[in-house]
């Protein structure tokens, strides 16, 4: 699993103690721009593991915006945040397009010295996960259209040219 550590000790974001993170603290952590920036960086790094994601996200993943972040699960020293992801890219033709994921989850864990941020539901590899590549591809949209539909259109176009 991809993860990174973010030492955040200022502005009231002290790591959680052994007691459960309060709902207000969990909400603050999920909304914190530094945590969301690390989550975007992780999506960018994650995208390098899958050919389709390298195509649609490429090396620009860290420039994406993690938005609509809210607590989904809160534990003793962690919160799992439900969020969306949006990246604006420039295509080969010079026009901008958006790559979006309506929902993904990232975990923020208190380490005693800061926080560790990791992706919760975007696996490094599909092996052993029970998730199919089709399911993973189905989570992405290009300009609001399901990426799976765009891939199917491209495949039909390629097959039409070869006949």
């Amino acid at each position: 699993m991809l993860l990174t550590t973010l030492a955040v000790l200022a502005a009231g974001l002290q790591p959680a103690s052994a007691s459960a993170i309060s709902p207000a603290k969990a909400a603050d952590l999920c909304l914190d721009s530094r945590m969301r920036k690390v989550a975007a960086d992780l999506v960018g790094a994650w995208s390098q593991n899958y050919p389709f994601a390298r195509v649609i996200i490429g090396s620009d993943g860290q420039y994406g915006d993690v938005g609509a972040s809210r607590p989904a699960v809160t534990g003793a020293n962690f919160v799992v945040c439900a969020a969306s992801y949006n990246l604006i890219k420039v295509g080969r033709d010079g026009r901008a397009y958006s790559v979006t994921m309506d929902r993904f989850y990232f975990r923020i864990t208190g380490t005693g010295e800061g926080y560790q941020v990791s992706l919760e539901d975007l696996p490094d590899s599909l092996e052993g996960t029970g998730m199919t590549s089709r399911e993973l591809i189905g989570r992405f949209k290009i300009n609001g259209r399901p990426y799976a539909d765009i891939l199917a259109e491209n495949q039909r176009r390629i097959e039409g040219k070869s006949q």
Side-chain angles (χ1 to χ4, degrees):
M1 180 175 293
L2 293 170
L3 61 108
T4 188
T5 300
L6 176 65
V8 180
L9 299 174
L13 287 175
Q14 299 300 324
S17 64
S19 63
I21 295 176
S22 72
K25 178 70 167 184
D28 287 346
L29 286 170
C30 288
L31 291 173
D32 186 89
S33 63
R34 295 164 290 187
M35 303 297 174
R36 293 180 12 233
K37 169 64 174 125
V38 172
D41 290 347
L42 290 171
V43 170
W46 168 87
S47 72
Q48 301 310 299
N49 294 333
Y50 295 93
F52 86 89
R54 277 195 310 268
V55 169
I56 63 174
I57 295 174
S59 61
D60 297 325
Q62 73 271 14
Y63 302 118
D65 176 55
V66 172
S69 183
R70 61 178 176 70
V73 177
T74 304
N77 71 335
F78 73 91
V79 59
V80 174
C81 305
S84 61
Y85 178 80
N86 184 49
L87 172 66
I88 304 297
K89 288 193 54 142
V90 177
R92 292 181 185 154
D93 61 0
R95 291 188 292 188
Y97 65 95
S98 69
V99 176
T100 59
M101 191 173 17
D102 292 337
R103 182 71 56 223
F104 80 103
Y105 297 89
F106 65 97
R107 177 183 293 257
I108 302 169
T109 305
T111 65
E113 297 177 8
Y115 289 95
Q116 186 177 62
V117 179
S118 59
L119 297 176
E120 188 72 8
D121 65 334
L122 295 174
D124 289 343
S125 167
L126 293 177
E127 288 182 36
T129 66
M131 182 183 283
T132 66
S133 60
R134 184 176 193 86
E135 288 174 281
L136 197 54
I137 288 169
R139 298 175 75 182
F140 290 88
K141 294 180 182 174
I142 306 292
N143 289 338
R145 292 186 57 219
Y147 187 56
D149 292 353
I150 294 169
L151 286 175
E153 285 176 15
N154 288 343
Q155 186 62 39
R156 284 192 297 274
R157 193 173 17 257
I158 290 169
E159 288 170 359
K161 287 181 181 179
S162 65
Q163 293 179 1

